[in-house]
Amino acid sequence: MNAFLIIFLVCLIVSAIGWMRFIYFISLGYGFSIAAAAIAILLIFRESMTWATLALCVLLMIYGFRLGFYLLFRELKSSEYRKVLSENVRKEGYSFGITLAIHLSCALLYLSQVAPVVSRLYNMDGGVVMSEEWAWIGASVMFLGIIIEAAADAQKSFAKKKNAHRFVDTGLYRIVRCPNYFGEVIMWTGCLLVCIGASCTWWQWAFAVFGYVCIVYIMFSGARRLEIRQNKNYGSDPEYQKYVKNTPILIPLVPIYSVERHKWLKG
């Protein structure tokens, strides 16, 4: 069976947790699907694995498990996060057909996100000789993204423990308002770089770029939802107003301070 199909089925099985609670398709199901896909890649291509591709798989596992368990523990420990989830649940009510379509779409998206690593190993398995340089470059960028995202999540948790009713503007949040989302973008940028020098076909490139564009869109969409929620909670705070007018929302040094008005980002 084709490696892409096997990994798609793995993502489909793991993300099925979304049938318990819809948001799990894009939270717990997301993180654990990426980790499971990485394990599947290791098993499928174990005989052609190199140190560089092994590093890529390990990074995907670290990313997926860290995100999955972080979201799980946050749900268990944070009453505020459970409140957000309960609000999401009240908005649910999709038909079986729509829920199934979303489930299939999520699994396909997760496959497309790891596609650069799969394509590199798939082509190597087919006898294509390629340089490991871009695999190591991609792995380095992925590692940086994971560190930024993990640090941002830890800093936010720490700040909320000190004052649960104040917006976070310390640590990485001094530089950008959504550093965790920025770390995510960096992480998947590194993964996309793996396609360079991997003799990818046009459809492999198209599939990988599709996954990358989708995750960048999702990050901006998430930033918009967060902005709307924070404006509702802290909009009357002069310190918050000063903060949002001087701190980019997602990309450091890029003067984009608000995306609330961009309804096309609604996810």
Side-chain angles (χ1 to χ4, degrees):
M1 187 181 295
N2 187 283
F4 286 91
L5 178 57
I6 294 174
I7 297 166
F8 171 73
L9 292 175
V10 168
C11 293
L12 194 67
I13 292 169
V14 177
S15 62
I17 191 174
W19 288 92
M20 295 174 56
R21 175 175 278 179
F22 184 80
I23 197 172
Y24 289 165
F25 280 130
I26 55 174
S27 60
L28 300 182
Y30 171 43
F32 290 129
S33 289
I34 297 300
I39 293 172
I41 294 169
L42 276 170
L43 294 175
I44 294 169
F45 297 105
R46 59 188 178 277
E47 294 184 1
S48 54
M49 194 67 59
T50 65
W51 285 111
T53 50
L54 176 62
L56 292 168
C57 291
V58 170
L59 287 169
L60 287 173
M61 280 191 286
I62 291 173
Y63 165 82
F65 281 128
R66 189 212 69 84
L67 179 61
F69 282 116
Y70 170 76
L71 294 174
L72 177 60
F73 291 147
R74 185 170 69 168
E75 179 178 346
L76 294 174
K77 294 183 178 181
S78 172
S79 58
E80 183 65 26
Y81 186 62
R82 287 196 297 273
K83 180 182 177 182
V84 173
L85 287 181
S86 66
E87 291 173 353
N88 180 275
V89 169
R90 287 197 291 271
K91 295 176 183 177
E92 293 178 13
Y94 296 113
S95 67
F96 173 84
I98 293 176
T99 304
L100 179 61
I102 292 172
H103 183 193
L104 292 170
S105 298
C106 286
L108 186 65
L109 172 61
Y110 305 154
L111 171 62
S112 69
Q113 288 178 250
V114 302
V117 180
V118 182
S119 295
R120 174 172 280 271
L121 282 160
Y122 184 85
N123 294 342
M124 286 175 60
D125 222 28
V128 177
V129 178
M130 61 186 73
S131 170
E132 295 281 80
E133 178 181 340
W134 278 101
W136 284 115
I137 292 174
S140 299
V141 176
M142 288 170 67
F143 179 73
L144 176 62
I146 291 171
I147 293 298
I148 292 173
E149 184 173 20
D153 285 339
Q155 289 172 357
K156 186 171 185 177
S157 296
F158 179 76
K160 285 297 184 180
K161 285 181 181 178
K162 292 182 65 177
N163 188 346
H165 304 292
R166 190 184 190 280
F167 64 94
V168 181
D169 62 347
T170 56
L172 292 171
Y173 291 83
R174 291 181 181 274
I175 304 170
V176 64
R177 286 171 18 228
C178 298
N180 50 341
Y181 294 163
F182 173 63
E184 181 105 0
V185 171
I186 293 297
M187 154 73 190
W188 292 113
T189 299
C191 192
L192 182 64
L193 292 176
V194 172
C195 278
I196 301 176
S199 298
C200 290
T201 62
W202 70 267
W203 70 264
Q204 288 174 333
W205 266 109
F207 196 42
V209 170
F210 165 78
Y212 180 74
V213 170
C214 283
I215 198 61
V216 171
Y217 172 86
I218 290 169
M219 291 303 101
F220 273 96
S221 177
R224 179 178 182 271
R225 288 195 304 273
L226 180 63
E227 181 184 4
I228 292 171
R229 189 162 68 246
Q230 289 186 332
N231 286 343
K232 180 181 178 181
N233 294 336
Y234 314 116
S236 60
D237 185 341
E239 287 189 27
Y240 173 74
Q241 290 296 334
K242 181 180 179 181
Y243 173 64
V244 299
K245 289 177 181 178
N246 293 280
T247 310
I249 190 166
L250 185 58
I251 309 296
L253 304 178
V254 176
I256 299 176
Y257 300 102
S258 174
V259 291
E260 182 177 3
R261 68 182 184 277
H262 298 303
K263 294 184 178 181
W264 58 273
L265 286 172
K266 184 176 180 180

